[in-house]
Amino acid sequence: MQNKSVSLFLKEKELLDSLFKSARREKIPVIDKETGRFLEIICLLENPKNILEIGCGTGFSSYFLIKNLKSGNYTGIDLNKERVRRAEKFIRSRFESGSLKFLGGSAVEIIRGLKGKFDLVFIDGAKFEYPSYIKSLEGKLEEGALIIADNILYKDKVFEEEVSGHDSNSVIGIREYIKYITEDKRFKSRFFDIGDGISVTEFHEKSG
């Protein structure tokens, strides 16, 4: 006989497997499950109070970010307004606690108009815009905030000398993002070989 915890885990797994397969079937960009669990663990350990997600899609990654959010705030942004509506409908059907906000449109423009500061940011939007995302967060990060970026290896193409075709702008954007977070002394970054690569960056206004 399964105990309650195992039963809840299996139900959750079935739900997430279904959402993941649906996104892949519709060719909607989505993080892999390992990356999702990584986000869940980070949130469980860090207990962020104000989360920003850039590129929330239909809510698969949002689930892991919000799962352990008790009384904090979450803001999800996606350029595709239909996906934002789907994400909000899915998340609100699963969670009642916390303050949840879903916004459709240009992340760079939306971020500039947001009030308050964030202590955890997950970046998984358009890769060529990664540098613009991190720069738009100027003045909107709490001391010690974590910025997590997905697809930082981009199928290992960031290591290739020449990248052609539709991947070139994405690779250029990611390379510029990596340069920014590793050369700016306010940031301390680590890289993990999880999924398609993850960077975890800690922000400190006064370096050193």
Side-chain angles (χ1 to χ4, degrees):
M1 175 179 280
Q2 296 174 353
N3 62 36
K4 184 177 180 180
S5 295
V6 173
S7 179
L8 289 173
F9 169 76
L10 292 176
K11 287 182 179 179
E12 178 189 63
K13 184 177 183 303
E14 183 179 358
L15 169 70
L16 294 174
D17 284 347
S18 175
L19 189 64
F20 179 82
K21 290 176 182 177
S22 176
R24 284 293 177 89
R25 188 167 53 249
E26 296 179 54
K27 296 183 179 180
I28 297 172
V30 63
I31 63 172
D32 60 41
K33 298 166 198 173
E34 284 186 354
T35 302
R37 292 303 182 188
F38 178 84
L39 294 175
E40 179 183 342
I41 292 170
I42 288 292
C43 290
L44 180 63
L45 295 176
E46 293 293 326
N47 190 29
K49 300 301 182 185
N50 203 7
I51 299 172
L52 172 65
E53 180 177 17
I54 303 172
C56 65
T58 54
F60 183 76
S61 51
S62 312
Y63 180 94
F64 298 100
L65 293 166
I66 295 170
K67 180 179 177 180
N68 293 296
L69 184 67
K70 304 303 181 185
S71 58
N73 305 296
Y74 165 89
T75 301
I77 304 172
D78 200 279
L79 181 62
N80 188 305
K81 295 182 179 181
E82 173 58 28
R83 291 177 187 171
V84 170
R85 285 192 287 269
R86 289 173 60 180
E88 181 169 13
K89 182 178 180 181
F90 166 66
I91 291 298
R92 291 192 184 280
S93 72
R94 308 303 305 182
F95 303 105
E96 296 180 359
S97 59
S99 173
L100 309 176
K101 184 188 299 182
F102 293 85
L103 304 170
S106 166
V108 174
E109 294 179 7
I110 290 172
I111 290 169
R112 288 172 182 157
L114 294 177
K115 306 297 183 183
K117 294 186 176 183
F118 300 94
D119 52 1
L120 190 143
V121 178
F122 179 53
I123 300 176
D124 192 26
K127 311 312 164 193
F128 73 92
E129 285 197 306
Y130 272 31
S132 298
Y133 297 150
I134 189 70
K135 292 172 185 176
S136 70
L137 290 168
E138 184 78 32
K140 297 186 180 294
L141 295 173
E142 293 280 6
E143 179 68 14
L146 291 181
I147 306 102
I148 303 172
D150 194 27
N151 303 115
I152 212 69
L153 300 179
Y154 202 77
K155 298 170 282 189
D156 288 339
K157 291 188 177 183
V158 293
F159 303 118
E160 297 178 6
E161 291 187 10
E162 294 186 11
V163 179
S164 59
H166 70 280
D167 288 330
S168 59
N169 287 338
S170 294
V171 172
I172 290 170
I174 292 172
R175 286 173 177 168
E176 185 179 334
Y177 176 83
I178 293 172
K179 186 174 187 292
Y180 189 85
I181 62 172
T182 53
E183 293 185 357
D184 190 315
K185 293 183 179 180
R186 295 174 300 170
F187 299 121
K188 182 177 181 181
S189 299
R190 296 178 176 84
F191 300 87
F192 298 90
D193 188 16
I194 298 174
D196 194 25
I198 294 174
S199 65
V200 179
T201 300
E202 190 173 357
F203 170 79
H204 292 282
E205 185 64 48
K206 295 181 179 180
S207 60

